[in-house]
Amino acid sequence: MLHSPFDGPRGAADHELLSAVLRRAGGGDRVALDQDEAEAVGRVMTSMVYAATGEMYAVV
């Protein structure tokens, strides 16, 4: 079963936020993340680790 890192209560907002970051980075320039963007990246990365390892939670 596939697991989306954008499931859950913040999923749609995180998807939109990170899509905007990718659009900014499209030119190949470095992109500085603000606090909200960095937190969204952390949530998505954690979700992807859970899905990859099959764990219900991870020690971060």
Side-chain angles (χ1 to χ4, degrees):
M1 180 170 119
L2 295 176
H3 172 78
S4 171
F6 300 108
D7 287 342
R10 295 183 184 172
D14 284 351
H15 185 272
E16 183 61 32
L17 190 66
L18 296 177
S19 292
V21 170
L22 290 175
R23 286 191 294 276
R24 289 193 334 248
D29 295 329
R30 292 186 63 131
V31 175
L33 300 178
D34 65 22
Q35 182 175 349
D36 291 336
E37 293 165 340
E39 289 172 359
V41 168
R43 286 189 296 273
V44 170
M45 288 175 49
T46 301
S47 178
M48 292 173 73
V49 168
Y50 293 160
T53 63
E55 296 291 326
M56 295 302 295
Y57 62 91
V59 177
V60 179

